[in-house]
Amino acid sequence: MTIPSVKLNDGHQIPQLGYGVFKVPPADTERAVSEALEVGYRHIDTAAIYGNEEGVGAAIAASGIPRDDLYITTKLWNDRHDGEEPHAAIRESLEKLGLPQVDLYLVHWPTPAADNYLHAWEKMIEIRDAGLTRSIGVSNHLVPHLEKIVQATGVVPAVDQIELHPAYQQRDVTDWAAAHDVKIEAWGPLGQGKYDLFGAAAVADAASAHGKTPAQVVLRWHIQHGFIVFPKSVRRERLEENLDVFDFELTAAEVAAIDEMDTGDGSGRVSAHPDEVD
Ligand code: NAD
């Protein structure tokens, strides 16, 4: 199984499909990540706020997989944007992960009410320059947030990790990202199971046409759009299912039919709006 890579604007490569560990309980994380690595995942997406970086680190250490074959992302939490806190936060994350460097470090939310995300971005640049992460990016940043940090620093994030799935496609952000060579990481790629993506005719019809499951069709739709995904499951059969999306191709008409599932009014969003998170 070869997972394709995407080239970031800083020249580094990221596996387009990985494993996300949001809501994987800390006590289960080493087992879940070990299983994901066994199944063939090499890209793990965690965050300080998930409380499970130690479990990710334990699974990496136990795996024996060469570090260069793994891609590890973690994120700066919202209460650590100020002063030199981002430097302290990345060092704590690295300690928990048992690594000298991550591949990608993200500002988790812009928290615009606190209005300190530009400062956080300036600190991310220092953190990258200090070699503690290879690439830097943001998460949950909308166009005004992206414009502000890029105009002030001239440094374009490698990625923006946003909620994105067929019912909520955030085309304003994806258009901006395409124009500025920022890769989109789609979180909640399956709608977190809260939105009935799988029952939609566009998904169900493509699934039966290709002999695939609806989840595989939705993940394939992301892949064909060039989005980076890391669906979460703690069940081995689903880990295998979610990785098995590289042996078929949706037709242009099938992709277009799934594109049509965007509600267009934001009502497909299943989680918090970035302006409301502090
Ligand atoms: P997801 O869309 O991946 O949904 C996960 C849920 O979908 C699982 O709990 C499971 O119930 C179901 N599922 C998984 N595989 C399935 C399959 N094959 N068939 C049927 N159902 C299946 O949502 P997520 O976990 O929120 O997002 C993925 C990752 O994105 C997270 O683990 C995390 O790493 C990241 N994330 C980031 C942010 C952020 O603010 N940056 C927020 C949420 C999630």
Side-chain angles (χ1 to χ4, degrees), residues 21 28 55 84 103-104 108 114 166 223 249 258:
V21 294
D28 296 345
E84 297 305 314
D103 296 280
L104 178 62
H108 204 146
I223 297 289
E249 182 143 357
I258 299 173

Side-chain angles (χ1 to χ4, degrees), residues 173-249:
V173 182
T174 60
D175 286 351
W176 191 96
H180 293 82
D181 195 18
V182 174
K183 293 293 182 273
I184 291 291
E185 295 193 324
W187 67 253
L190 301 173
Q192 294 187 332
K194 294 178 193 164
Y195 199 98
D196 183 20
L197 301 173
F198 299 161
V203 172
D205 290 353
S208 53
H210 293 278
K212 288 286 180 176
T213 67
Q216 289 172 322
V217 165
V218 172
L219 293 172
R220 184 70 209 176
W221 172 86
H222 285 282
I223 297 289
Q224 287 185 215
H225 271 297
F227 304 141
I228 298 156
V229 283
F230 20 81
K232 178 222 139 187
S233 176
V234 289
R235 290 164 48 178
R236 190 181 185 104
E237 66 276 16
R238 282 185 171 171
L239 288 172
E240 289 171 347
E241 177 185 335
N242 295 345
L243 198 57
D244 185 19
V245 294
F246 298 107
D247 64 348
F248 75 111
E249 182 143 357

